[in-house]
Amino acid sequence: MNLRKQWLRACLVAALSCAALPQVAVAAELDAQRQAMMVSMFKDDAVLTEQMHREFWAGLKDTDSESAKASMDRLSAALKNSIEFERATVVSYKASIKQRKPVIDPSYELALKVRLEMIRARNMPADAVLAKDKAFRESLVPVSKGKSFDVQGTKIVMNEQVIDKALKSIEASYARLERLLNPVWTPAPAK
């Protein structure tokens, strides 16, 4: 799942750039330690502990202020969009395999629209997102035929087992991030 980790790291960078954080909160939300902690939530074997949660929120001043809440809401929305974008990509691959033709899940179009709106709200160029969208759409043809496609020089073959594992991992990442970005500690639900 090295490809997934690269994709999620790229999504995290994009999400952080889309978050439109006010300058007061930028230093706190974007420091290297917090970024590393957020990225670690994407690992397949990641576990969010109460101590990690405390460390993430330590030093964030006035988390109850409207500005801090709005800032974290934007960051959370951007990260959730990144995960939804990935989930929608994988769901589209799964549908393409089942139907043996390129299929784009409606959730992909919605996630793309939201991502583009976030980028445009910050007056940033959308070129990178549009290039990834084009590559995704082109990859649907070989995926639907059970053939490999190229991602950054690596040949990838999608199958149901890879997709199901990716979906499970995406859902777990989403749950961990949601818990991490909530200033109130919530233990993981029992399995």
Side-chain angles (χ1 to χ4, degrees):
M1 281 289 153
N2 189 22
L3 171 66
R4 179 177 179 275
K5 289 176 188 172
Q6 289 174 335
W7 169 252
L8 283 170
R9 283 193 177 109
C11 288
L12 177 62
V13 170
L16 292 173
S17 69
C18 292
L21 302 171
Q23 286 301 316
V24 175
V26 168
E29 272 106 15
L30 298 182
D31 70 43
Q33 182 179 0
R34 284 183 181 83
Q35 283 186 41
M37 195 172 294
M38 285 188 286
V39 169
S40 75
M41 295 297 104
F42 295 122
K43 294 179 181 174
D44 289 335
D45 59 349
V47 175
L48 176 61
T49 66
E50 187 173 3
Q51 178 63 33
M52 291 169 68
H53 185 268
R54 248 188 256 123
E55 288 172 13
F56 182 83
W57 286 95
L60 285 175
K61 306 248 187 302
D62 196 16
T63 56
D64 291 332
S65 76
E66 289 303 313
S67 173
K69 284 181 183 176
S71 178
M72 286 307 288
D73 286 347
R74 283 188 296 273
L75 177 60
S76 179
L79 288 169
K80 289 175 182 178
N81 172 258
S82 293
I83 291 173
E84 181 55 34
F85 206 62
E86 182 189 8
R87 184 188 163 287
T89 299
V90 175
V91 168
S92 295
Y93 285 149
K94 187 171 190 168
S96 295
I97 290 170
K98 283 185 176 180
Q99 295 184 30
R100 299 182 197 267
K101 67 179 184 177
V103 175
I104 298 176
D105 190 80
S107 64
Y108 177 86
E109 297 291 0
L110 179 60
L112 176 63
K113 178 183 173 193
V114 169
R115 170 61 52 84
L116 291 171
E117 287 170 358
M118 288 178 178
I119 289 173
R120 289 182 181 126
R122 299 245 6 237
N123 294 320
M124 298 173 65
D127 297 347
V129 173
L130 295 174
K132 286 181 183 179
D133 174 56
K134 182 180 182 221
F136 160 72
R137 291 173 192 274
E138 290 171 354
S139 72
L140 288 172
V141 173
V143 166
S144 68
K145 295 178 180 179
K147 297 185 178 183
S148 67
F149 63 100
D150 189 67
V151 176
Q152 299 176 349
T154 303
K155 293 283 185 192
I156 305 292
V157 176
M158 287 288 176
N159 61 43
E160 295 260 352
Q161 292 90 3
V162 170
I163 289 170
D164 290 341
K165 184 177 178 182
L167 285 171
K168 184 177 178 182
S169 182
I170 290 165
E171 296 301 326
S173 295
Y174 182 87
R176 284 188 297 270
L177 267 176
E178 195 162 63
R179 290 176 44 234
L180 177 65
L181 294 176
N182 180 349
V184 177
W185 167 250
T186 308
K191 291 183 181 183

